[in-house]
Amino acid sequence: MSPVDLEHLKSAVRDIPDFPKPGIVFKDITPILGDGQLFQRVIDHLGEEAAKVNPSKVVGIDARGFLFGAAVAYKLGLGCIPIRKKGKLPYRTVGSSYQLEYGDAEVEMHIDAIEPGERVVLIDDLLATGGTSGAAVNLVQQVGGIVGSALFVIELGFLDGRKKLPPDVPIHSMVKY
């Protein structure tokens, strides 16, 4: 994306103070989704980045990662794999736990979603503390998949989420705070 497009993207992200709890500033991406041309430019950019690693599938993380991941998968003509919160998938799953500020959480993926040696690209809207993204990478690796890159629309760099992803997984974020 051009510097002008990146500024447009950054200005479209809406800050919601004290959501979901006091002291948190939530980065709302719904204005990006509501602007057809901006959303298209974001998907085009993510698609270009994804294509660089020659994936056979796109992995989207529950739930906003589904929006971007599915659109990129469609653009590239690839399959789309959902990583969901525990208990949301109907078939046999593999799970990965991670730490939250006050407790644990787990994400799951269907056991047969990715073949051993298959290269995927991981997409989510936000890289914050890295717990969910790190767990998603772990799921792909558990079944023998290779994460060619992890792509994010937004990164909250001050939270050091990159440290939760393996060093051999390239990370690309469009906008950093």
Side-chain angles (χ1 to χ4, degrees):
M1 289 182 85
S2 74
V4 171
D5 287 340
L6 287 174
E7 278 306 311
H8 184 200
L9 174 61
K10 194 169 190 175
S11 71
V13 177
R14 180 171 38 208
D15 286 349
I16 308 292
D18 299 321
F19 184 84
K21 66 178 198 164
I24 303 286
V25 178
F26 183 84
K27 297 294 186 188
D28 180 13
I29 53 91
T30 59
I32 297 167
L33 301 172
D35 181 332
Q37 290 181 348
L38 181 58
F39 182 55
Q40 185 176 39
R41 287 195 300 273
V42 168
I43 296 307
D44 288 347
H45 180 80
L46 292 172
E48 289 169 11
E49 289 298 317
K52 289 178 183 178
V53 298
N54 196 29
S56 59
K57 292 180 181 159
V58 173
V59 174
I61 299 176
D62 198 339
R64 292 180 307 257
F66 296 164
L67 301 168
F68 295 100
V72 169
Y74 174 81
K75 178 174 183 56
L76 299 178
L78 302 176
C80 186
I81 306 300
I83 289 187
R84 306 249 8 229
K85 294 175 181 106
K86 183 179 173 113
K88 299 292 184 182
L89 291 171
Y91 187 63
R92 290 182 317 206
T93 60
V94 59
S96 181
S97 297
Y98 60 99
Q99 300 293 310
L100 297 170
E101 290 177 56
Y102 38 85
D104 297 331
E106 187 173 349
V107 289
E108 296 178 322
M109 177 178 73
H110 282 147
I111 195 86
D112 61 353
I114 297 168
E115 297 294 322
E118 192 169 24
R119 179 179 297 278
V120 302
V121 64
L122 180 78
I123 297 182
D124 203 358
D125 69 317
L126 177 74
L127 175 59
T129 62
T132 309
S133 300
V137 169
N138 181 271
L139 284 176
V140 171
Q141 292 175 339
Q142 278 185 57
V143 297
I146 300 162
V147 179
S149 64
L151 308 177
F152 303 93
V153 178
I154 300 168
E155 180 177 353
L156 304 180
F158 59 92
L159 293 176
D160 291 327
R162 287 175 177 253
K163 292 181 180 177
K164 295 274 178 73
L165 278 78
D168 63 334
V169 173
I171 300 168
H172 175 78
S173 302
M174 296 179 69
V175 174
K176 296 178 185 172
Y177 293 94

